[in-house]
Amino acid sequence: MKKILKIAAIVLVVGFVLAQFIRPSFSNPPIVPGETLEESTTVPADVQMIIGRSCGDCHSNKTVYPWYSKVTPFNWFLANHIEDARKEMNFSVWNTYAPKRKLKKLEDIREQLEAKEMPLPSYLWIHRDAVLSEEQSGLVLEWAAAEGLRLKNENPQ
Ligand code: HEC
């Protein structure tokens, strides 16, 4: 019995070590001038700061890769999250979205913040500084509402 456990432990360790060679390739797509959220509209400095810190690692091309991005299998979860998140909404290419899509995303932001579903809870376990206070969440909500109105006025149907 002891021997089997020992072999199992060795297999696990060797497997873990070998798995380290199988890593996703991480890259930040280039940021194209004129495409970012900040360039498309006015974003108050405090809102920019909050979005950058609490959403930017997943919803922008300015991801700061944490230490566990080097550890298989965690890096695969990370790669998956970033890919999905950028596909849903990427502040670095915000200005390539049509007004209708921007409006939809602003509405989604409101929903996600009110339901406290974003930032992803699993991300907050490690990134404690990305936790949003009620006040910070309120600032983003206020901005999203104002930006929604501005877009609607600019693009009457
Ligand atoms: C750790 C990565 C991560 C962080 C940080 C993060 N998100 Fe997300 N977000 C995702 C992923 C993954 C998805 C797509 C899958 C899903 O909807 O759960 C997503 C989806 C969304 C969507 C689209 C949801 C829908 O209606 O389909 C919105 C809006 C959003 N996030 C807003 C935010 C905001 C605002 C922040 C910051 C306050 C934030 N996210 C922080 C990973 C993240």
Side-chain angles (χ1 to χ4, degrees):
M1 189 61 196
K2 246 181 163 175
K3 202 170 168 195
I4 292 177
L5 282 180
K6 216 169 166 184
I7 292 171
I10 291 171
V11 168
L12 272 180
V13 170
V14 171
F16 182 77
V17 170
L18 288 179
Q20 300 313 310
F21 291 98
I22 314 169
R23 287 182 183 160
S25 66
F26 284 115
S27 65
N28 282 346
I31 292 177
V32 179
E35 289 190 351
T36 65
L37 170 70
E38 301 81 37
E39 286 169 290
S40 77
T41 184
T42 319
V43 187
D46 46 3
V47 173
Q48 262 189 58
M49 211 272 290
I50 297 166
I51 291 179
R53 196 199 50 207
S54 294
C55 323
D57 274 346
C58 302
H59 293 285
S60 85
N61 294 345
K62 291 192 257 182
T63 307
V64 178
Y65 294 95
W67 59 268
Y68 55 90
S69 70
K70 301 206 169 57
V71 184
T72 303
F74 307 108
N75 46 13
W76 289 98
F77 290 104
L78 196 82
N80 214 353
H81 276 158
I82 296 170
E83 195 188 329
D84 286 354
R86 281 182 184 155
K87 238 184 263 163
E88 278 287 344
M89 178 181 73
N90 184 340
F91 291 123
S92 297
V93 302
W94 180 266
N95 211 19
T96 64
Y97 299 163
K100 208 169 152 194
R101 181 150 186 222
K102 287 179 181 164
L103 280 166
K104 167 84 173 71
K105 292 299 152 195
L106 290 167
E107 185 56 26
D108 289 347
I109 290 174
R110 186 183 63 74
E111 276 172 19
Q112 296 295 318
L113 290 184
E114 283 180 353
K116 297 196 184 346
E117 284 181 10
M118 289 286 153
L120 281 188
S122 58
Y123 173 79
L124 297 177
W125 296 340
I126 293 177
H127 297 85
R128 299 305 301 165
D129 62 328
V131 175
L132 290 180
S133 67
E134 285 295 324
E135 194 195 343
Q136 291 168 329
S137 184
L139 283 171
V140 178
L141 286 170
E142 233 171 73
W143 167 77
E147 177 63 8
L149 278 179
R150 191 192 68 81
L151 278 171
K152 274 188 195 144
N153 283 335
E154 219 174 60
N155 304 277
Q157 303 273 315

